[in-house]
Amino acid sequence: MNAAGAEPPRGRGGQLAAQRQATIVAEVNSRGAITVAELVERFGVSDMTIRRDLDALDSSGLLHKVHGGATSVGLRSAHEPGFDAKLTQESAAKQAIAAEAAGRVQPDSAIGIGAGTTTYALARQLLRVENLTVVTNSARIADVFHGNSRSDRTVVLIGGIRTPSDALVGPIATAALGSLHLDLLFLGAHGVDAEHGLSTPNLMEAETNRSFIAASREVVVVADHTKWGTVGLSTFATWADLDVIVTDGGLSAGARKSMRDTGCELVITP
């Protein structure tokens, strides 16, 4: 109440901007990321109002505003956002990366697809490839192919312990990969860094990814520009382990130079 006994003006969502923003920060810190669409629905305010909130919170250093939403700041090396939290982040970039990467897959290939939201988008792009054998440690990716079954495709789902990012990892997955020989492997990453290579917050996922790499003739990384400069708890691939990295046009000039200096083929989608 103010001095006249009237309540302060409120937005359509019934909350003061400061209260709404505090709730947004708490939600982002809890989940790791959130979308504008989710916030519009939750608070019953306009898209523009939410974007102004995110601008203000980004300027205050309380979160990172990204295309279509926001992510938490200062995440620890061991923090691992869930699959659903990451699914809508940079979705347009992920689709473009997936389409570009899919063009590298030839019929009659045996390929590996690691868990992740960009590799999930890639799986959808591969449904028309003939005579394909797919090995994956992601139930979600396996479901993409099982939902569009065809007689000339074999899908092998490697079992293990499920991580927050919906990867199946651990000694069972590692042992299974030890006897396989893959033509091509597609991997995403929690972090991509010039010095530390590819990294993940999950130690068992790192070990499973190393086994994927050891089983593969060629390794293609699919990662949008927001992954650059992030370092997770465990490195699972140095640049010497990798052949190609496919990313999007949001990658900064400095990051492009650093990535080219690694010796890997750098492919940037339009």
Side-chain angles (χ1 to χ4, degrees):
M1 294 286 187
N2 61 24
E7 290 190 354
R10 296 176 180 265
R12 280 173 45 201
Q15 285 187 303
L16 294 168
Q19 294 173 320
R20 185 175 61 246
Q21 290 173 12
T23 303
I24 291 172
V25 171
E27 190 72 12
V28 170
N29 287 340
S30 173
R31 295 174 48 185
I34 201 164
T35 68
V36 170
E38 288 174 313
L39 294 171
V40 166
E41 181 177 358
R42 173 163 182 171
F43 295 109
V45 296
S46 69
D47 178 280
M48 187 60 66
T49 295
I50 292 298
R51 292 184 187 279
R52 283 196 295 266
D53 285 339
L54 297 184
D55 283 335
L57 294 169
D58 184 276
S59 297
S60 300
L62 296 173
L63 52 70
H64 287 309
K65 184 181 179 184
V66 298
H67 180 73
T71 60
S72 179
V73 298
L75 296 179
R76 302 294 184 184
S77 295
H79 176 79
E80 186 173 11
F83 184 93
D84 291 326
K86 296 185 290 185
L87 187 60
T88 56
Q89 297 174 24
E90 301 295 331
S91 58
K94 290 174 181 177
Q95 293 299 327
I97 291 167
E100 174 67 32
R104 296 176 174 269
V105 179
Q106 300 298 318
D108 303 304
S109 297
I111 68 169
I113 306 179
T117 52
T118 307
T119 49
Y120 178 78
L122 171 65
R124 293 179 175 275
Q125 295 282 343
L126 296 176
L127 292 176
R128 297 180 182 178
V129 179
E130 298 176 346
N131 299 315
L132 191 63
T133 297
V134 178
V135 178
T136 184
N137 65 329
S138 166
R140 299 215 190 197
I141 288 173
D143 284 345
V144 168
F145 292 108
H146 288 311
N148 184 262
S149 61
R150 47 190 298 168
S151 60
D152 62 344
R153 182 167 58 223
T154 300
V155 180
V156 179
L157 176 61
I158 293 173
I161 299 168
R162 184 178 177 180
T163 72
S165 60
D166 275 1
L168 300 176
V169 301
I172 295 174
T174 300
L177 288 166
S179 62
L180 300 181
H181 305 281
L182 303 173
D183 298 310
L184 190 59
L185 171 65
F186 295 96
L187 285 178
H190 170 80
V192 181
D193 183 76
E195 180 180 356
H196 300 285
L198 305 187
S199 60
T200 172
N202 190 292
L203 290 172
M204 286 195 294
E205 185 165 6
E207 185 61 33
T208 300
N209 284 346
R210 292 186 199 110
S211 297
F212 253 130
I213 291 168
S216 304
R217 183 179 305 158
E218 182 178 1
V219 181
V220 179
V221 179
V222 288
D224 70 77
H225 72 279
T226 64
K227 305 299 181 65
W228 182 260
T230 298
V231 179
L233 179 63
S234 179
T235 292
F236 63 83
T238 66
W239 294 105
D241 298 318
L242 310 174
D243 298 290
V244 183
I245 183 160
V246 184
T247 188
D248 64 282
L251 192 68
S252 69
R256 294 185 192 205
K257 182 181 183 305
S258 295
M259 205 173 288
R260 289 192 177 100
D261 289 344
T262 66
C264 291
E265 179 187 352
L266 175 62
V267 179
I268 298 177
T269 61

